[in-house]
Amino acid sequence: MKYLDEYRDPALARHLLDDLARTATRPWRIMEVCGGQTHTLVRQGIDELLPAGIRMIHGPGCPVCVTPLETLDRAMAVAARPQVVLASFGDMLRVPGTDTELLTLRARGADVRVVYTPMDAVRIARARPDREVVFLAVGFETTAPANAMAVLHAARLGLRNFSMLVSHVLVPPAMTALLDDQDCEVQAFLAAGHVCAVMGWREYEPITARYRVPVVVTGFEPLDLLEGILMAVRQLEEGRHEVQNQYARAVHRLGNAEAQNAVSRVFRVTDRAWRGIGTLPASGLELADAYAEFDATRRFALAATRSTEDPECIAGAILTGARSPTDCTAYGNRCTPLTPLGAPMVSAEGTCAAFFAAGRTREPS
Amino acid sequence: MKSHCPLPHTEGESLLLGHGAGGRLTGRLLDSLVLPALGAVPNGPLEDAALLPGDYELVLSTDPFVVSPLFFPGGDIGSLAVHGTVNDLAMRGALPLALSLAVIAEEGLPFGELRAVLQSAGKAARDASVPVLTGDTKVVERGAADRLFLTTTGVGRRIPGLTPSAGRARPQDVVLLSGPIGLHGTAVLSTREGLGFEAAIASDSCPLHRLVEALGPCGPAVHTLRDPTRGGLAAALNEIASASSVGVEVDEAAIPVPAPVAGACDLLGLDPLIVANEGCLVAFVAPEHADEALAALRSLPEGSDAVRIGRATEDPAARVVMRTLMGAGRVVDMPLGEQLPRIC
């Protein structure tokens, strides 16, 4: 299939793997930031085909996984109210909150709907003026423009029954937080191509300069990833640390100005709690004052919740790449996609779920 | 940075949509509730259709249809209800003798839609040369059902020599697939959600009994037949592996996924392996009869794209392993319960 098959060609993959084997003279640890990339790596088994010594560390870029428990608990508190329609992307429905998850709430009668775009939530609000429609707005810089456009559209339509529970997160602050950690083993990053399609890659230039780590903007197909890894290894071998763009077919240095404008009109940067990681300064987006009327937290006067996490789950260490899912004592027995203890076992982009779906088992110790 | 994460959620006290999706949740529901309640033995091989006790020539199957929307490219709930049951009978090696059709309709359903659906069911039955001998109609108040649900029950007679069963696959069997995967699920989803793939994708819904008839000369060498409906190819292969205690190895490059299906699945984050089909079958055939079986499938239009996708192996753990395009091995697990409710 055009635009897909050419990035999945086994012969070219073999060629890149051979190139990689010739280039790498010693072990390197590279983090792919984005959950979509983790999904491709594990699904195609690419990480197991890499030359010995090249280790991929799976990063925190799964939006479902890092959405804080408090946000989920709040979403469930709103969804449980009468006259409310809670609209969300499908993956969020199975993520465990403190007491239950949205899927179970729906079975009990809450009006929880899966949508494919925030504009669907706006459409529902328009069609049902007798209902309060709340969209659970999560994700990285990739989904922020569409969510911003939905708010702008709702404002234009004068909708009074549409609001958002916003928990957007930003990639660069997470990367610097990882690099500031003394235990950080990451020597190079594959940056997420889709995030950079929106934001460009200027934001990563200070990171490569300050921390002396290579950053390669990389796509999501198997050959994209292999080429991105090869570019990162070349930089490491040659002692370079710069931003390189593997995903040139979609990404420019300055990104998409129109998308960035929509985001900066509707949202402002704020401190954000990342599930399993903690609060990172200036790492998220919230609605700007001009659009505060669309903030579900205000509209429903949502109080802070008493949210508690499972003590056995090591999601935090997995999201930062410090541990692997197969290191977890709960992996594959108490924690499965059917009974997830933590969010990384839920989303297809979650590292634990990707490992489980690919049938990876705990090493006998 | 701190490392912590969430509380376990408790086992739910009520049904979830996923319990009807044909994956792990469905299996759990059958084993823990349905089968014990009915006095059946849990964990036995679950077949598409049952042999009538005392008469191993006659086969019985039943299936309710709740697809939304009622009409979709390539079919509608009427033709689907006929094909679904004809195919379940065929997977036990049987040709359909008779069908029953039960209708549950919601108050307010336009006569025009009911007529169109039933005429379509009638045509599908005639095309499959099976009479609809009996039926019943109930109308429920508005809101008590979503427009129209159909249930078909079928009786079939086994083709002499064919005794396929989910539990009869053997190591070294060749795995054949009669056509491309992913069409039905993506066609229904696209129509329902207005995703815009409708023009490019039509459901593969069709009767499969003639393909099975064509396999007749291979006789007992046809060990297992399955139509990969809910849960897709991944569920079908896992069910066979587990019922027969064999491993299954398939080759990703050999599995035909039409380009529009691949594109739709990529956009929606779906795996074509778990998307429902209504017009293809997988066959586990003894290796010495594999070429003959493949030629038989290809001799009919509905099997013209039949391919060999892999083989069964010696594996007590009953794993399904796919050789990925990149050449690595990946375990293909039983789907959990797909995110695509009311696909059939």
Side-chain angles (χ1 to χ4, degrees), chain A residues 141-172:
Chain A
E141 292 90 331
T142 332
T143 49
N147 291 346
M149 293 303 288
V151 170
L152 291 171
H153 191 55
R156 249 193 320 271
L157 293 171
L159 289 181
R160 303 230 159 258
N161 64 328
F162 175 79
S163 60
M164 275 188 179
L165 201 51
V166 180
S167 188
H168 269 294
V169 283
L170 303 171
V171 168

Side-chain angles (χ1 to χ4, degrees), chain A residues 25-247:
Chain A
T25 61
R26 54 197 177 105
W28 298 109
R29 293 179 301 276
I30 303 167
M31 173 177 276
E32 86 280 4
V33 172
C34 173
Q37 295 171 332
T38 306
H39 183 70
T40 305
L41 285 177
V42 177
R43 200 175 126 73
Q44 284 292 335
I46 292 171
D47 51 340
E48 293 177 347
L49 296 173
L50 294 176
I54 307 288
R55 199 180 119 214
M56 298 308 293
I57 300 179
H58 311 305
C62 159
V64 171
C65 305
V66 299
T67 297
L69 191 54
E70 291 79 6
T71 303
L72 271 165
D73 286 345
R74 282 176 164 182
M76 284 185 261
V78 173
R81 296 188 187 202
Q83 311 301 317
V84 166
V85 176
L86 185 90
S88 164
F89 296 133
D91 273 355
M92 295 304 296
L93 267 58
R94 289 196 297 115
V95 183
T98 298
D99 296 322
T100 181
E101 77 278 295
L102 285 166
L103 211 57
T104 301
L105 272 189
R106 184 171 75 179
R108 287 183 195 151
D111 194 345
V112 178
R113 302 194 196 176
V114 173
V115 293
Y116 292 95
T117 134
M119 295 304 282
D120 286 344
V122 175
R123 268 188 284 277
I124 297 170
R126 237 184 137 177
R128 293 302 301 266
D130 56 326
R131 293 279 189 276
E132 278 286 342
V133 178
V134 181
F135 179 69
L136 182 50
V138 301
F140 287 87
E141 292 90 331
T142 332
T143 49
N147 291 346
M149 293 303 288
V151 170
L152 291 171
H153 191 55
R156 249 193 320 271
L157 293 171
L159 289 181
R160 303 230 159 258
N161 64 328
F162 175 79
S163 60
M164 275 188 179
L165 201 51
V166 180
S167 188
H168 269 294
V169 283
L170 303 171
V171 168
M175 285 168 65
T176 52
L178 284 167
L179 289 164
D180 284 333
D181 191 329
Q182 288 178 346
D183 299 331
C184 178
E185 294 190 324
V186 179
Q187 294 167 301
F189 285 99
L190 304 187
H194 292 168
V195 167
C196 297
V198 173
M199 300 303 294
W201 72 74
R202 277 176 299 177
E203 301 176 291
Y204 302 103
E205 288 167 351
I207 297 178
T208 53
R210 181 171 159 208
Y211 296 94
R212 306 177 68 82
V213 291
V215 172
V216 181
V217 178
T218 305
F220 298 82
E221 292 299 321
L223 294 189
D224 288 327
L225 285 156
L226 283 170
E227 193 179 25
I229 294 165
L230 179 61
M231 288 163 87
V233 168
R234 281 210 177 110
Q235 285 203 47
L236 289 165
E237 290 282 342
E238 293 165 14
R240 289 184 290 127
H241 45 83
E242 47 199 65
V243 184
Q244 269 186 305
N245 184 17
Q246 182 278 329
Y247 203 33

Side-chain angles (χ1 to χ4, degrees), chain A residues 144 148 151 166-170 260-272 280-293 295 297-298:
Chain A
V151 170
V166 180
S167 188
H168 269 294
V169 283
L170 303 171
Q260 291 168 25
N261 284 341
V263 171
S264 57
R265 266 177 77 188
V266 172
F267 296 116
R268 67 168 171 233
V269 173
T270 182
D271 297 349
R272 173 74 65 212
L280 303 178
S283 70
L285 297 173
E286 64 182 0
L287 284 162
D289 286 339
Y291 296 95
E293 59 176 306
D295 186 343
T297 316
R298 288 195 192 194

Side-chain angles (χ1 to χ4, degrees), chain A residues 1 4 8 10 13 43-44 49 94 98 101 106-108 177 275-276 309-310 313 315 320 338 341-342 356-358, chain B residues 1-9 13 15 17 25 28 252 259 263 266 271 324-326 328 330-331 333 336:
Chain A
M1 181 181 176
L4 282 183
R8 295 176 183 177
R43 200 175 126 73
Q44 284 292 335
L49 296 173
R94 289 196 297 115
T98 298
E101 77 278 295
R106 184 171 75 179
R108 287 183 195 151
R275 189 172 196 176
E309 304 271 11
D310 182 90
C313 178
T320 55
L338 209 57
L341 293 186
F356 191 88
Chain B
M1 285 186 204
K2 288 177 298 177
S3 305
H4 49 62
C5 199
L7 269 185
H9 70 315
E13 71 276 21
L15 278 175
L17 272 171
L25 275 175
R28 184 181 279 196
E252 183 173 15
D266 262 18
D271 184 346
T324 70
L325 289 178
M326 297 298 113
R330 165 167 79 95
V331 173
D333 202 12
L336 195 59

